[in-house]
Amino acid sequence: MKMLAENISFAYKKEHLILNDISLKVNSGEIVCVLGPNGTGKTTMLRCLLGFNKPSKGKITIDGKQMHELGVKNRAKCLAYVPQYSSLSFPYTVKEVVLMGRTAYLSYGMPFSKVDYDFAIKTIDRLGISHISDSLYNELSGGQKQMVLLARALTQDAKILIMDEPTANLDYSNQVKMLETIKQLVNEGYGILMTSHFPYHAFLTESRVILMKGGKKLYDGNPDEIITTESLTNLYQTSVEVSEINIKAYEKSIKVCVPILK
């Protein structure tokens, strides 16, 4: 499966473009990591790709079919969204939240089937959160909530996942768990587009990287070539050093990004 955005622009007000002529693609079996400062349009871009916002220019296609030609249900079977957080008004259990991912497969007026329930339970077990399946979602920690939202997305059975800062507000252990899960999903054939504020995530996940600033795409390609001291310093307008270190566990060197404090 392939999602392709071609020359999309978007503005909440005509005189102020939030996105300006953005093009990108996401294929099954790859990670695309989008980096950029706050307010640069990353989340707005994701909303356009998901069909929540309609671009004022350009087009978005999934396997050659234009986004607006796909109904809401068909779109949900192709793309699944993992937000930074979700606050639910009602006291849903984890199992109920994950089951919501099967909504796209429901016929009008029909309840969830045994297949839907089995799919949800299998996904919960797969992500190692079965011990909280009967817990109330709103009472969970940030890391637990993020895994539940990922489980809900996987239960949609969509092959492209769009993730808005999936490691935001997670402790170190949960960041590692999330990144490991993302790499595993890509190895299984999922395509993942994720935003991040951590440049080293692109190195760790061995993903393609896009640098965005001011609503424009600056670079798109291999992180080893694109994530440099100069590019990050320009992107974030702060001093950053990209260095290479040897890691025994990897049996090779890996690049890291270190801020220079004055």
Side-chain angles (χ1 to χ4, degrees):
M1 183 169 285
K2 179 172 74 173
M3 178 177 65
L4 178 64
E6 298 178 90
N7 308 110
I8 63 171
S9 296
F10 179 83
Y12 292 105
K13 296 181 180 180
K14 289 184 179 180
E15 66 274 12
H16 181 56
L17 283 177
I18 305 297
L19 298 178
N20 189 354
D21 202 32
I22 297 281
S23 295
L24 62 85
K25 63 180 178 179
V26 183
N27 296 307
S28 296
E30 74 168 343
I31 307 172
V32 179
C33 183
V34 182
L35 303 175
N38 289 331
T40 203
K42 299 188 300 298
T43 298
T44 299
M45 181 183 71
L46 299 190
R47 291 182 60 83
C48 288
L49 296 176
L50 289 161
F52 300 158
N53 293 341
K54 183 179 179 181
S56 54
K57 173 190 170 186
K59 65 178 182 178
I60 301 167
T61 58
I62 300 175
D63 282 348
K65 296 181 180 179
Q66 294 205 41
M67 179 74 76
H68 68 267
E69 295 176 351
L70 297 171
V72 174
K73 285 191 173 183
N74 286 330
R75 192 187 307 158
K77 293 175 183 178
C78 298
L79 304 175
Y81 180 43
V82 183
Q84 291 183 39
Y85 58 86
S86 178
S87 180
L88 301 176
S89 301
F90 296 97
Y92 293 109
T93 66
V94 167
K95 193 182 301 181
E96 289 170 331
V97 173
V98 175
L99 187 60
M100 291 175 188
R102 299 299 297 171
T103 302
Y105 299 88
L106 288 179
S107 298
Y108 181 75
M110 297 297 291
F112 290 110
S113 67
K114 184 179 184 301
V115 171
D116 296 323
Y117 279 98
D118 288 345
F119 203 116
I121 295 301
K122 183 178 178 181
T123 306
I124 287 171
D125 290 342
R126 173 187 182 181
L127 294 183
I129 55 174
S130 56
H131 61 292
I132 58 170
S133 61
D134 294 319
S135 300
L136 295 180
Y137 173 82
N138 284 336
E139 295 179 357
L140 301 179
S141 69
Q144 290 172 326
K145 285 182 178 179
Q146 200 67 9
M147 294 305 291
V148 173
L149 294 177
L150 176 57
R152 182 180 67 180
L154 293 178
T155 303
Q156 279 184 226
D157 201 24
K159 289 304 178 185
I160 294 180
L161 303 180
I162 295 182
M163 310 177 79
D164 192 3
E165 297 184 33
T167 61
N169 303 315
L170 300 187
D171 63 31
Y172 199 72
S173 174
N174 280 306
Q175 283 191 39
V176 172
K177 183 178 181 181
M178 180 61 72
L179 292 174
E180 288 178 339
T181 302
I182 287 171
K183 288 192 69 173
Q184 181 181 348
L185 291 172
V186 169
N187 290 336
E188 294 173 10
Y190 287 87
I192 295 179
L193 175 68
M194 58 179 274
T195 61
S196 178
H197 280 303
F198 303 100
Y200 65 88
H201 284 177
F203 294 127
L204 291 175
T205 56
E206 299 176 309
S207 58
R208 200 170 91 243
V209 66
I210 291 174
L211 302 189
M212 280 184 64
K213 188 176 182 180
K216 297 181 179 180
K217 185 176 73 171
L218 302 182
Y219 302 100
D220 183 343
N222 187 307
D224 284 325
E225 298 173 356
I226 289 174
I227 301 179
T228 64
T229 296
E230 293 75 19
S231 66
L232 289 187
T233 298
N234 174 61
L235 186 68
Y236 294 108
Q237 291 297 292
T238 191
S239 297
V240 181
E241 181 73 29
V242 178
S243 300
E244 196 165 316
I245 61 173
N246 292 315
I247 304 294
K248 290 183 180 180
Y250 287 117
E251 297 183 345
K252 63 178 182 180
S253 61
I254 187 171
K255 290 185 176 180
V256 294
C257 308
V258 182
I260 306 301
L261 303 181
K262 297 179 181 179

